[in-house]
Amino acid sequence: MKKTILPSRLDNLISVLNPVDIFIDVGSDHGYASSYVLENQLAKRVIATDIHALPAQRTSNYLKQQGFSDYSQVLCVDGLSSIRVRKSDAVLIAGMGGYEIIHILTDALDGNSIELGATFLLQPQRSFRELRSFLADRGFEIRDERIARDKDKYYVGILAVYNGRAYQTDIISAVLGPVIISERPCYFELFMKDRLETLKKEVLGQPELCPVLEYVEKVIQSL
Ligand SMILES: C[S@@+](CC[C@H](N)C(=O)[O-])C[C@H]1O[C@@H](n2cnc3c(N)ncnc32)[C@H](O)[C@@H]1O
C-alpha cells in the first residue's frame, strides 16, 4: 500500500486530532482524508459521505485499493444524513463554503443526531464570520485553530467540540478566529497581511468590518 499524502491544509488540520472511534469524512471526494486517518491509526473505522455519486464511488475505490474496505462505509448522502455522531467520534467537513457547513450541522442538530462531546474539524473556504457565529449560537466550542499555506493561499482549520452551551462572540473573533488571535499559530503574520488586503476591499461594501480592519492594522504594526 502506498501511503496517502494529504495536501498541507488537510494534513495541518488532521494533525490536531486525537484518535477517535469513528472518523466521519463529509464531502470525502477522493477519500484521501478517510484513508489517511486509518493508515495512521487515528480512527478504528471511517464513514465517508458525499452528496454526489461519482466522488462517493471514487472514495469507495480508493479505500478498497488501500485495503480498508472492512473498516469503512461510504454513503452517497447529503452531509450527516442517517449518521449518529457519538462523543467518541470526529467529523471532518472541509473544502466547502461556510454556509454549506452550517446547513450540514443544522440538519444534524435538528435531527438530534450529535452527542455532546463530539469533535468537529471544519475548514470552510469562505464565510468564516457566519460559521463562527453559528458555532457560538449552537454551542460548538472552538478549541483550536490552525493556519495552513498551500500555493500562496491560506487555509484556516477549526477544531470545535459540541457541548451545547451557546456563547457570545464579537465580530473580530468571528472574522479572524478566537484561537488565531490568542495563540498566534504558525503563519500568523503572513495570514494577517493577507487578511489586511482582503479586508481593505471588503469594508467598502461591509462597513461593519471597520473594527476588524483597524485591529489587523494594529497587530501588523506591532509585529
Ligand atoms: C472541493 S471537495 C473537498 C473534498 C475534501 N473534503 C477536501 O477538503 O479536499 C467538496 C466535496 O464535497 C461534496 N459535497 C458538497 N456538499 C456536500 C454535502 N452537503 N454533503 C456531502 N458532500 C458534499 C462534493 O461533492 C465534493 O466531493
Side-chain angles (χ1 to χ4, degrees), residues 7 9-10 25-30 49-52 55 58 77-79 92-96 100 103-104 123 125:
R9 67 180 174 83
L10 285 179
D25 181 7
V26 176
S28 59
D29 194 358
H30 28 59
T49 83
D50 205 288
I51 199 164
H52 295 116
R58 204 161 39 217
V77 295
D78 183 356
L92 170 72
I93 316 179
M96 308 181 193
E100 189 62 17
H103 147 73
I104 291 168
Q123 194 168 68
Q125 290 167 324

Side-chain angles (χ1 to χ4, degrees), residues 93-163:
I93 316 179
M96 308 181 193
Y99 280 107
E100 189 62 17
I101 296 177
I102 291 172
H103 147 73
I104 291 168
L105 295 177
T106 302
D107 278 2
L109 288 171
D110 289 352
N112 269 328
S113 53
I114 305 180
E115 267 184 23
L116 296 177
T119 299
F120 290 79
L121 298 176
L122 308 173
Q123 194 168 68
Q125 290 167 324
R126 65 194 85 84
S127 312
F128 282 89
R129 174 182 164 192
E130 292 78 3
L131 179 61
R132 288 198 186 92
S133 299
F134 168 87
L135 296 176
D137 289 345
R138 302 303 298 265
F140 291 82
E141 184 193 348
I142 297 178
R143 297 234 178 123
D144 206 345
E145 291 178 310
R146 299 288 167 108
I147 303 164
R149 188 180 179 189
D150 199 339
K151 299 183 194 103
D152 283 340
K153 248 190 108 177
Y154 296 93
Y155 296 87
V156 171
I158 300 170
L159 183 147
V161 173
Y162 178 59
N163 63 20

Side-chain angles (χ1 to χ4, degrees), residues 31-63:
Y32 295 160
S34 292
S35 184
Y36 180 89
V37 298
L38 290 171
E39 289 168 29
N40 292 282
Q41 291 88 42
L42 289 169
K44 293 177 187 150
R45 298 185 53 77
V46 155
I47 301 174
T49 83
D50 205 288
I51 199 164
H52 295 116
L54 201 66
Q57 189 58 53
R58 204 161 39 217
T59 297
S60 188
N61 293 345
Y62 189 66
L63 287 164

